[in-house]
Structure formats: structure tokens, C-alpha cells
Amino acid sequence: MDIDENIICERIVHFDRDIPHYGTQNGSIAGSDGEITCPVALWIESVDLLLSRFESASVNFGEVVAVSGAAQQHGSVYWTEYAPDLLASLDPSRTLGEQLMAKGFSLPNAPIWQDSSTTAECAALEQAVGGPQKLSDMTGSRAYERFTGSQISKIYHRSPATYTATRYISLVSSFVSSLFLCHISPIEVSDASGMNLMDIKTCRWDETLLSACGGPTLRSKLAGEPVHGGTVLGKIGQWWVKRYGFSSECIVAPFTGDNPATIVTLSSPGDAILSLGTSTTLLISVPPPSANSVPPICTTTSHLLAHPTTAGGSIVMLCIKNGGLTREVIRDKYSSGSWSVFNDQVLSRPPGNSGCLGFYFTLREIIPTGVVGDHCFVDSQRVIPGDTEDSAFPPSAHARAVLESQLLSIRSRLASILPPSSEDSSSRSLKRCVITGGSSVNPLIQQMVADILGLPTYVAPSGAGSAASGGALLAKFAWWKVQRHDDDDDDVLDTLDHAPGTDRTIADRLQETGSTFEDMRKESGGLVIVKVAEPDRDNERVYEGMIDTFRKCEDMIVRSL
């Protein structure tokens, strides 16, 4: 990305196709009892391959002034005591993998966001603090199997030798930051919100949670307190300077999670961001609370994250695990593996699907908790789907059913995750939906989002709305603050006073000096998004009338567990 926020080069590494020798499927390896991991070596090799592809595209790394990025959330990497020295002494004539994999990691395969093997650890964590709502009040979320705290707890309690051999623990985001710095990086504050370890109000690690998940040594393994996006962590490591030609003055800012990075790219007040990727995720950016506003409520079915760039701000998030991969499963099973056939099937059925409602959980779901498998209903009655088109639930109904049920799940929960209303909160009501992810380019899905959510729907220009773009913007933010010589305000973000009640003052100070992320974006004109669909009011009424039926059927599934 250049200084005017134009994407000048984009290259992709597909784990399964480009680096097949690790045997991943959809970028992961499934084990037993819900365990899902990814080889750390695959991530390291992909970084080398990606940089090589940029090099082949004649990218001049010497002109890069700052580096940041985005990574999948919740995944964790476990470094050994040898890792700091290995990072500090990297030989530019050899690859990262050649030098780091033999002794750098105590756990070669990293647990990732799809993992559901830590149910017992989640229950223990919630019990340690007084229940799921109490944990949500503390951290912004109840305990989830994919969250890093329960993953750490699993290793601490079930594999004590591995835990003892671990010197540092990184999220995937801070792991990549560490590679670029050539030393261990702290964790970015918004990504830290997905660990069940950080106090969501103070943005500091909570001692009770640290003790419950990793005992007395966990704090020392986390490489300091969380830091905000746009913080200058240091200069890029010499391995990158000598191997790829980066400038030794290039700065490194914290990488963040893919969802916070999407907020960084696309959000403004009144926007809902719907990411239609591997999972289906709704994101709403909430400004710091003022004297006349009410902060969002923490619930046991949504998440509250610290905002990556706005001290005191937050992100309300609703994440449903079974998203894009599940849509692909339905396509392959009922639509001959063709998106064209899938789309034709959707169009052949009316809004509401003639009473056919399908719930599809390829992976063990998190909202609602623990459900798995396919569950089909016709007019609120459970049915076994048919093999012929004259069946009550015919094969052609599944394409529309999977889209409608995934979006109705978001719609049915929307009211509970919005910030509470207040007298001056009209600006907080949702005005539009910006969609991202692979499925966002499908006009049929664009219209269905508008109809089911009842919001005008927009997309960003190709590539501009990606999480990777958000990471690039965080790099620019760090560099921009340095160029403005706002030393005091850099100190504010770098050494945030985390005492309760001070975040609003910090936000005010940044606003007064014109050093906010929003100020930076205004200078370049911000992001231009394009309207692609308006709600069809007749269809909107159909879907509004389906919400109670959806909830009733979902409740039947949950009660049958």
C-alpha cells in the first residue's frame, strides 16, 4: 500500500495448493476430539514464499517505511528458550524455517481458531471467576474453546513438559511481528481481547485469569502488557535488510487479528461490517463512552474487543464458526460442486424457501454452543430432507436454506449485541452494512444480506476491504505519527495509562492534537465504498416474520443435545 492508501501490489500464498507437503486441508490439520492445528513451519515457509513473490513482482523493499499486518485470531505459537537468540542471530543466506524450526518451538503444531478440544478448560475457567457472565464482564467474552486462554490451560494441565519448555507464547499476529522484528513482540490489544486473559476495561492482563490458565509463570511468557495498533515496536530486523533489501530504518508496528483489521479498514459510526469468510462475523465499531452515552453490554453470545487504534473504544463482535466452508460443503453435496448451479438453485426458490429452514454445522458450532450436523425443518417441524424435487425438503432447497439460516442467525441476535440506547445515541443506530470476504462479490448474496438485515449493503473496491489492507493501514498509522513528531502522543499510546477510568482522557488528548487514526484517514480521503443492494421491503417483511420461527427451531436443536 502506498502513502495514498492505494494497493500497489498484492500476492497470495494458498497453504494447501502452494505448500502441500504439510498435508493441510483448508489450512489446518484435524486431530482427535476436536483438536485442529496448523504447522508453525507452514506459516514460516509461507512468509518466505510471499516475500519471494513480491520480489518477483519487482517490489522495491527498500522503499517500505513501515510493516504491520493481520493474522487469524486466537491461534497460539509456543517459543522455546532458544528462540530469542535464534531470532537475533538469523543468517540472511538461510531461510527462516531452516534456522527456527529445529529448536525454536516447543509445540510444532499451533492450535488455531477452529479447535474445539478445550471444553473442560473452558468450564474450569468460568468456574474460577464465578460463571460465564462474570467472565464476559471481565474479558468481553465467556469462555470459548478456540480462545487462547483455554488453549494455554490445556497445555499447562495436560502437557506440563511442553509448557515448561515454553519461554514465550505468541498469538499468530504477534508471532509474525516477532519474525519481522527478529525478537519477541508483545501482543496487540485488540487481538489480546480474544484470549480470555485481558481485563477488557483496563487492557491489562488479569492476574486471576493468568493463574487459572497458566499458573504463576504465564505472565512472563506473554512478553509484556498488550499494546495498541500503530505503536512503533522497533526497526525491522537485520535478516530482512540483508536478505530482501529492506531499509534499516523501516519500522514495525504490531500485527493484529483479521477481524480488528477489517474494522480498521472499513468502519465508521453507523456501519455494520459483515465478513463472509471461513466464519461469518458481524463487527460494529463503538466509540469511547462519553458522559452522555452508555457503553456496550457484555453478553455470553457476543464478544467485546478493545479497539486496535482508539483508546477506550471497542468492537462489538458476533462470530459464527460455520460460514464459508459450510457453504462450500452444501455446494459440493447438493449443487454439483458449482457456484453457478448453487446460485440457480437459490433463485429457483422464493424468499422464505417455501417453509424450508436448514441449519448446517459442519464444525462444532460456538453460537449456539456445541451443535453439529445438519438439521432440517419444514414449517417448524423436523424433517429428513428428500432425495427428489417432489420432497417436502428437496435437494434444491439447501442452497437457499444455508444462506438464509446463516444470515437469520445474525439478524436474530442483532438487538442484543448493539450498544444500549440513550437519548443522544441516534448516531449509533445502524445505517448500512459493509460486506467483505470471498462471498461478498456474489450479487445474489449481496441482495440477500440487504433483505435479511434490512440495511443498504455496500462493498469496498477489490482488495481494499481486506484484513491485509487493515494491517497496512496500521503500518501507515505508526509511520504517520512519527512523521508528525507527536512524541507525547506516541508515548500515550506506547505506555497507555491503564488505570480504570483514564481511557476517555487519553482519547480526548489524541483527538485534541489531531493524532487519531481517523485524522490520518481524512488526509487521504478515506475509503470509498460502493452501494450494491437496497433492501426489498417485501422480502424484508418475509424475513422479519421468520425470526421467531428461526429461534424456535434453533432452540429445538439445542435442547436435543
Side-chain angles (χ1 to χ4, degrees):
M1 180 180 286
D2 66 16
I3 192 63
D4 296 318
E5 301 179 9
N6 301 306
I7 295 173
I8 57 174
C9 187
E10 185 175 11
R11 290 295 182 270
I12 296 171
V13 173
H14 189 284
F15 293 160
D16 298 359
R17 290 196 301 266
D18 296 339
I19 314 178
H21 46 274
Y22 293 100
T24 58
Q25 291 185 320
N26 297 310
S28 63
I29 295 174
S32 58
D33 301 321
E35 185 173 274
I36 301 183
T37 61
C38 184
V40 177
L42 170 59
W43 291 336
I44 291 177
E45 189 171 337
S46 69
V47 171
D48 262 332
L49 180 55
L50 184 63
L51 268 290
S52 297
R53 290 182 173 177
F54 279 131
E55 210 171 27
S56 298
S58 300
V59 171
N60 183 355
F61 293 118
E63 295 180 351
V64 177
V65 296
V67 175
S68 183
Q72 58 177 280
Q73 291 189 262
H74 311 300
S76 45
V77 176
Y78 298 78
W79 305 88
T80 67
E81 62 179 329
Y82 305 106
D85 288 341
L86 291 171
L87 285 168
S89 59
L90 289 170
D91 181 349
S93 69
R94 302 171 63 203
T95 68
L96 292 171
E98 288 173 338
Q99 300 177 78
L100 293 176
M101 286 312 303
K103 291 186 176 181
F105 304 97
S106 56
L107 197 64
N109 283 14
I112 63 171
W113 68 274
Q114 292 169 299
D115 187 281
S116 59
S117 67
T118 61
T119 304
E121 285 76 15
C122 288
L125 180 58
E126 290 179 345
Q127 184 177 6
V129 299
Q133 183 60 57
K134 177 63 175 177
L135 183 62
S136 181
D137 291 339
M138 293 171 67
T139 70
S141 302
R142 68 167 177 83
Y144 286 91
E145 284 89 348
R146 71 187 188 280
F147 271 41
T148 323
S150 60
Q151 296 292 336
I152 293 171
S153 181
K154 174 184 172 182
I155 296 168
Y156 175 61
H157 288 101
R158 302 191 210 179
S159 305
T162 299
Y163 190 77
T164 300
T166 299
R167 177 62 188 90
Y168 290 105
I169 299 172
S170 293
L171 296 183
V172 184
S173 57
S174 59
F175 157 72
V176 185
S177 300
S178 300
L179 295 181
F180 278 98
L181 286 166
C182 294
H183 62 76
I184 303 298
S185 168
I187 294 172
E188 186 271 334
V189 68
S190 194
D191 216 9
S193 306
M195 300 176 75
N196 282 140
L197 293 176
M198 187 186 79
D199 185 315
I200 193 64
K201 298 180 180 67
T202 66
C203 297
R204 281 186 173 271
W205 305 124
D206 181 272
E207 291 296 339
T208 300
L209 300 171
L210 294 177
S211 178
C213 291
T217 62
L218 180 52
R219 172 176 285 280
S220 66
K221 297 179 190 290
L222 295 177
E225 296 288 351
V227 295
H228 272 84
T231 298
V232 177
L233 295 177
K235 303 292 178 61
I236 198 167
Q238 285 300 299
W239 185 86
W240 301 90
V241 174
K242 295 175 181 177
R243 186 174 178 89
Y244 287 109
F246 280 86
S247 166
S248 59
E249 295 302 306
C250 175
I251 60 177
V252 178
F255 283 52
T256 187
D258 49 5
N259 289 311
T262 301
I263 279 281
V264 165
T265 307
L266 294 174
S267 180
S268 61
D271 289 349
I273 299 174
L274 184 63
S275 175
L276 300 172
T278 306
S279 59
T280 298
T281 305
L282 184 77
L283 302 161
I284 302 170
S285 182
V286 181
S290 66
N292 298 317
S293 67
V294 182
I297 293 175
C298 295
T299 76
T300 57
T301 58
S302 62
H303 309 289
L304 187 66
L305 312 179
H307 198 282
T309 63
T310 305
S314 56
I315 301 169
V316 178
M317 184 172 86
L318 181 66
C319 183
I320 296 171
K321 183 186 286 189
N322 288 276
L325 294 181
T326 298
R327 293 191 291 274
E328 290 177 7
V329 168
I330 297 302
R331 175 204 63 189
D332 294 344
K333 187 174 182 180
Y334 297 105
S335 308
S336 304
S338 166
W339 285 121
S340 178
V341 173
F342 182 96
N343 288 346
D344 288 344
Q345 289 174 333
V346 174
L347 291 171
S348 73
R349 309 276 300 180
N353 212 7
S354 299
C356 294
L357 185 59
F359 296 76
Y360 305 91
F361 306 109
T362 307
L363 301 170
R364 188 167 175 264
E365 187 51 76
I366 50 179
I367 299 176
T369 303
V371 297
V372 69
D374 297 349
H375 307 265
C376 295
F377 299 81
V378 176
D379 297 329
S380 302
Q381 300 299 311
R382 275 187 179 272
V383 298
I384 297 174
D387 296 325
T388 62
E389 284 303 309
D390 60 358
S391 307
F393 201 120
S396 62
H398 292 278
R400 178 172 281 275
V402 69
L403 295 178
E404 288 186 342
S405 65
Q406 289 182 348
L407 293 171
L408 282 167
S409 182
I410 296 289
R411 176 67 180 82
S412 69
R413 294 174 168 87
L414 201 54
S416 66
I417 68 172
L418 289 173
S421 60
S422 61
E423 291 182 1
D424 70 339
S425 65
S426 59
S427 62
R428 290 193 180 187
S429 61
L430 297 182
K431 297 180 176 64
R432 61 186 182 181
C433 180
V434 183
I435 56 174
T436 70
S439 297
S440 65
V441 299
N442 187 328
L444 187 153
I445 293 178
Q446 293 168 355
Q447 186 61 54
M448 195 174 288
V449 169
D451 292 345
I452 294 179
L453 299 188
L455 294 169
T457 299
Y458 293 73
V459 296
S462 178
S466 69
S469 295
L473 287 168
L474 290 172
K476 180 187 174 184
F477 187 38
W479 172 84
W480 179 80
K481 290 191 298 175
V482 170
Q483 301 311 300
R484 290 173 63 86
H485 302 291
D486 286 329
D487 297 332
D488 291 342
D489 296 300
D490 285 340
D491 291 341
V492 168
L493 283 180
D494 292 354
T495 58
L496 177 63
D497 177 2
H498 293 280
T502 61
D503 282 350
R504 179 60 183 167
T505 301
I506 294 166
D508 285 344
R509 284 183 59 192
L510 290 173
Q511 186 68 47
E512 289 165 4
T513 57
S515 300
T516 67
F517 182 82
E518 290 72 21
D519 292 321
M520 180 197 76
R521 296 221 71 186
K522 287 176 184 176
E523 289 185 3
S524 58
L527 178 70
V528 177
I529 56 177
V530 178
K531 184 189 289 188
V532 292
E534 278 280 357
D536 180 295
R537 296 307 174 189
D538 290 336
N539 293 347
E540 187 180 350
R541 282 190 286 270
V542 169
Y543 291 121
E544 181 70 27
M546 290 177 64
I547 293 174
D548 286 343
T549 300
F550 176 90
R551 290 171 175 162
K552 175 183 176 182
C553 294
E554 185 182 74
D555 187 55
M556 290 172 62
I557 297 169
V558 172
R559 285 189 282 109
S560 69
L561 293 178

